[in-house]
Amino acid sequence: MMNSCAVAELTQQINDKISAIRRMLELRTVAKDQDKRNILLKLGRDIIAINGLLDNFEMQVHQQRDMLKCLKELEGFFQEDLRDGQHLKDNMPPHMPRKGMQTVNGVLTQSKQVESQQPQQQNPPKNPHRNQIREMKFITTEEFESVPQYMKGRVTYNQLNAAVQSINTAVTEKYTILQQPAKNMSNAARKLYQRFKDEETKDTKGQFFVVEADIREFTQLKVDKRFHAMLNMLRHCQRLRELRGGGLTRYLML
């Protein structure tokens, strides 16, 4: 890239060459002897040199114009990304975690508040993998748009992900009870534990699932027509599958 000093220097050289040519032409009439002819030959070479400088100058100007055009395009892309980022910041979906927030039982909570509410464990679990409860991933906007309109009805993107959050709450609460030592359970927890075990089959072994009773027990989500419509959408997005048997419909996490 040529700076202003280089351009000024090149311009001065061209002006100097032109001035020299002008003086030589004025002396052309006196170019009778061999010495004067040699000077004229030198003028020819200088003209060729000037043409080369002008070509180089023109090429540099074109390069600078192309570079300026590219920089303006990059600036446009940057401004567009900046606007998209600001739009995402101003329209953050309510189910998305934020800085300083933590998801507990499917609910966004302040991290410090979570730490104060969670009791300190005296002894770490013997098997750290035992407490890993599988939860359903939230639906992306692309997946939501892929759901047929007849299946969506009036369900919005945020409502569907709120249902995902509630199902995750039920899964977490259920399997937290199943993973507790029996001696630490209350009578209510023992009854739930027994119901959970009775609902298991050989096909659910190693799987995480909930039934409608779990949704009613652990969440405020209404088990109605809209709920079942959202379950159809979640099946379409491959978040869960149904397993029927014994008069129950089990919703297995995928």
Side-chain angles (χ1 to χ4, degrees):
M1 181 184 296
M2 293 182 63
N3 54 32
S4 59
C5 293
V7 172
E9 183 179 353
L10 181 59
T11 303
Q12 185 61 45
Q13 291 180 6
I14 294 172
N15 289 334
D16 292 343
K17 293 292 184 181
I18 293 173
S19 298
I21 292 171
R22 185 180 291 114
R23 287 194 297 269
M24 293 303 175
L25 289 174
E26 291 173 353
L27 297 174
R28 185 175 182 180
T29 54
V30 295
K32 302 292 185 179
D33 54 29
Q34 186 64 36
D35 293 336
K36 299 299 187 292
R37 290 192 183 91
N38 292 336
I39 293 175
L40 291 176
L41 291 174
K42 182 178 181 302
L43 283 175
R45 291 192 294 269
D46 288 344
I47 290 173
I48 294 173
I50 289 175
N51 286 333
L53 289 172
L54 289 173
D55 291 341
N56 183 51
F57 182 78
E58 186 177 2
M59 181 181 65
Q60 293 293 336
V61 170
H62 285 305
Q63 288 178 353
Q64 296 297 317
R65 286 176 179 171
D66 292 341
M67 188 171 294
L68 181 60
K69 182 180 178 181
C70 291
L71 289 174
K72 287 184 177 180
E73 291 178 354
L74 287 175
E75 183 183 13
F77 293 145
F78 173 78
Q79 294 295 336
E80 184 177 352
D81 290 342
L82 187 63
R83 288 192 296 269
D84 290 344
Q86 187 63 43
H87 177 76
L88 289 174
K89 180 180 178 182
D90 296 339
N91 298 275
M92 183 75 71
H95 64 274
M96 293 294 291
R98 295 171 175 79
K99 185 177 181 181
M101 302 293 287
Q102 191 170 336
T103 302
V104 176
N105 295 337
V107 180
L108 287 177
T109 315
Q110 290 287 348
S111 298
K112 292 183 179 178
Q113 180 182 351
V114 171
E115 292 174 359
S116 63
Q117 290 177 353
Q118 290 180 343
Q120 295 290 332
Q121 291 187 353
Q122 298 297 330
N123 297 316
K126 294 181 180 180
N127 184 1
H129 298 288
R130 186 169 177 253
N131 289 333
Q132 292 182 354
I133 299 173
R134 182 169 187 173
E135 293 187 344
M136 191 185 307
K137 293 182 180 179
F138 287 108
I139 302 299
T140 65
T141 54
E142 290 80 5
E143 288 174 317
F144 184 76
E145 293 299 328
S146 72
V147 177
Q149 185 60 43
Y150 77 88
M151 193 178 294
K152 281 193 280 192
R154 296 184 179 181
V155 176
T156 66
Y157 172 75
N158 288 335
Q159 288 172 341
L160 183 59
N161 274 318
V164 171
Q165 185 171 313
S166 295
I167 293 173
N168 286 340
T169 297
V171 172
T172 301
E173 294 290 344
K174 173 182 177 178
Y175 285 92
T176 298
I177 293 174
L178 284 171
Q179 293 175 355
Q180 286 182 8
K183 62 181 180 180
N184 295 339
M185 290 185 186
S186 63
N187 290 333
R190 284 193 182 94
K191 290 181 181 179
L192 288 172
Y193 179 89
Q194 190 57 50
R195 176 171 71 80
F196 298 155
K197 299 303 282 187
D198 292 342
E199 292 168 349
E200 292 180 352
T201 68
K202 62 179 182 179
D203 295 322
T204 63
K205 185 176 181 180
Q207 304 288 329
F208 291 95
F209 72 93
V210 291
V211 298
E212 290 183 6
D214 300 327
I215 302 296
R216 295 189 183 97
E217 178 74 30
F218 299 118
T219 76
Q220 313 236 336
L221 189 64
K222 292 183 179 180
V223 181
D224 53 13
K225 288 183 178 180
R226 173 171 286 197
F227 171 73
H228 287 98
M230 289 189 289
L231 290 179
N232 288 333
M233 296 169 67
L234 294 175
R235 282 198 300 272
H236 176 83
C237 295
Q238 299 183 353
R239 289 299 190 276
L240 54 78
R241 67 182 179 91
E242 289 185 1
L243 182 64
R244 299 176 185 270
L248 281 176
T249 301
R250 299 161 180 83
Y251 302 104
L252 280 68
M253 306 297 106
L254 295 180

